C-alpha cells in the first residue's frame, strides 16, 4: 500500500519541523509538504491533494478552522487533524463543524502522533482523551435537556377579562359568541383580542389559541 500523504501546517516553524521529523520516521507516512498559514495550506492542498492535513487551529491570514472547509471543497477526500494549545470546548466544536475528524492538543506524544494520522486516514476519528471527555459530557447534557419535558411558556400579564377572552378564543368562539358569554359588546371583545395579540406578541387568533393551549389555559 502507498504511504499516507500528509500536509503539515503550523505558523511556528520550530514546532512544524518537529512534527515533520516525527512523521518522517514512519515508513507508511509521507510528508508531502509543509505550510506556515491557512492560505498557503489551501494552495498546497489543492495542488498536492494529501490524504491528511495536520493543521494548527490558530494561524495568521486564514485559521485552520477557516481553511478546513475550503480545502474540503477543493479536495473532498482529504481528512483533517486539528492541532491546538486550547482545551476550550468551543474550539473543539468549531473544528468538528468545519469538518475535522481529529483534534489534538500540541502536548501530544511522539508515539501518539503517527497513530492519530493512521487512524484519521482510515476514516475514523481521533480526539485527545481530555477533550473527548468534555465532548461526551456536553452530549450528555444535551441529551438530558432534550429528554426533559418542554417548559410552559411564560404568560404575559393579562387582565382578568383578557384571560377570560383568551380562554374562550382558544375554544374557537368568535367575537359575537365571546361577547354573549361575557355580557360585553362585540367591539369590546375586539379591543380585548387586539390587546391579547399585542401582549402575547403573536399575529393571529390561531397563534393566540395555540399559546393558550401550550400554557395550559385550556386543554
Amino acid at each position: 500500500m502507498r504511504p499516507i500523504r500528509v500536509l503539515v501546517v503550523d505558523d511556528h516553524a520550530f514546532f512544524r519541523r518537529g512534527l515533520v521529523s516525527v512523521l518522517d520516521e514512519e515508513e507508511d507516512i509521507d510528508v508531502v509538504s509543509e505550510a506556515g498559514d491557512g492560505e498557503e495550506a489551501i494552495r498546497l492542498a489543492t495542488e498536492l491533494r494529501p490524504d491528511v492535513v495536520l493543521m494548527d487551529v490558530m494561524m495568521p491570514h486564514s485559521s485552520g478552522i477557516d481553511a478546513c472547509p475550503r480545502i474540503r471543497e477543493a479536495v473532498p477526500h482529504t481528512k483533517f487533524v486539528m492541532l491546538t494549545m486550547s482545551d476550550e470546548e468551543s474550539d473543539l466544536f468549531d473544528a468538528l463543524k468545519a469538518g475535522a475528524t481529529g483534534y489534538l492538543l500540541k502536548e501530544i506524544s511522539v508515539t501518539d502522533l503517527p497513530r492519530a494520522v493512521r487512524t484519521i486516514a482510515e476514516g475514523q476519528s481521533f480526539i485527545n482523551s481530555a477533550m473527548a471527555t468534555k465532548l461526551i459530557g456536553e452530549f450528555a447534557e444535551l441529551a438530558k435537556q432534550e429528554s426533559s419535558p418542554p417548559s410552559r411558556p411564560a404568560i404575559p400579564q393579562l387582565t382578568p377579562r383578557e384571560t377570560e377572552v383568551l380562554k374562550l378564543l382558544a375554544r374557537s368562539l368568535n367575537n359575537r359568541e365571546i361577547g354573549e358569554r361575557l355580557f360585553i359588546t362585540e367591539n369590546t371583545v375586539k379591543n380585548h383580542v387586539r390587546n391579547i395579540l399585542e401582549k402575547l406578541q403573536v399575529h393571529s387568533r390561531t397563534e393566540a389559541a395555540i399559546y393558550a393551549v401550550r400554557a395550559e389555559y385550556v386543554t
Side-chain angles (χ1 to χ4, degrees):
M1 296 179 63
R2 70 175 180 82
I4 301 167
R5 305 175 74 252
V6 177
L7 172 64
V8 177
V9 187
D10 196 289
D11 60 320
H12 293 94
F14 182 77
F15 182 76
R16 187 174 70 242
R17 291 306 306 163
L19 295 174
V20 172
S21 65
V22 169
L23 295 177
D24 275 342
E25 295 292 321
E26 307 297 319
E27 294 183 359
D28 60 337
I29 297 175
D30 177 21
V31 178
V32 294
S33 190
E34 53 186 282
D37 60 61
E39 289 297 330
E40 187 180 13
I42 295 166
R43 180 181 61 79
L44 288 172
T46 303
E47 175 186 338
L48 300 172
R49 307 180 69 82
D51 300 310
V52 175
V53 175
L54 189 63
M55 185 157 53
D56 189 11
V57 169
M58 301 301 298
M59 294 182 295
H61 307 306
S62 179
S63 71
I65 302 290
D66 294 332
C68 186
R70 294 172 61 186
I71 295 173
R72 286 182 65 200
E73 184 177 356
V75 195
H77 79 271
T78 296
K79 298 176 176 61
F80 300 88
V81 183
M82 293 298 187
L83 284 163
T84 181
M85 296 291 292
S86 170
D87 61 355
E88 293 295 325
E89 293 97 324
S90 58
D91 290 335
L92 169 62
F93 297 145
D94 287 343
L96 296 177
K97 284 189 290 186
T101 51
Y103 192 89
L104 306 174
L105 297 181
K106 287 188 173 182
E107 60 193 34
I108 186 172
S109 69
V110 293
T111 55
D112 280 344
L113 181 61
R115 184 164 63 90
V117 169
R118 294 186 186 101
T119 301
I120 296 299
E122 291 171 359
Q124 303 178 54
S125 60
F126 195 105
I127 299 176
N128 170 272
S129 58
M131 298 306 295
T133 300
K134 291 186 177 184
L135 186 62
I136 292 170
E138 187 70 20
F139 279 127
E141 184 61 30
L142 288 173
K144 186 190 304 181
Q145 292 175 8
E146 290 179 358
S147 63
S148 62
S151 58
R152 291 173 54 184
I155 291 290
Q157 188 63 44
L158 301 180
T159 66
R161 181 62 86 187
E162 288 168 350
T163 302
E164 291 177 324
V165 171
L166 177 60
K167 289 179 179 180
L168 295 174
L169 181 154
R171 296 183 186 278
S172 301
L173 273 67
N174 60 35
N175 289 348
R176 180 181 57 79
E177 293 169 329
I178 293 173
E180 291 174 352
R181 290 283 188 96
L182 300 178
F183 304 103
I184 57 178
T185 67
E186 192 170 340
N187 276 338
T188 301
V189 175
K190 287 180 181 178
N191 289 334
H192 285 314
V193 171
R194 183 174 62 248
N195 291 337
I196 290 168
L197 298 183
E198 184 176 333
K199 287 183 178 181
L200 299 185
Q201 297 184 354
V202 296
H203 302 94
S204 69
R205 297 168 67 95
T206 301
E207 289 182 72
I210 293 172
Y211 200 112
V213 172
R214 289 184 58 206
E216 299 180 12
Y217 266 70
V218 292
T219 57

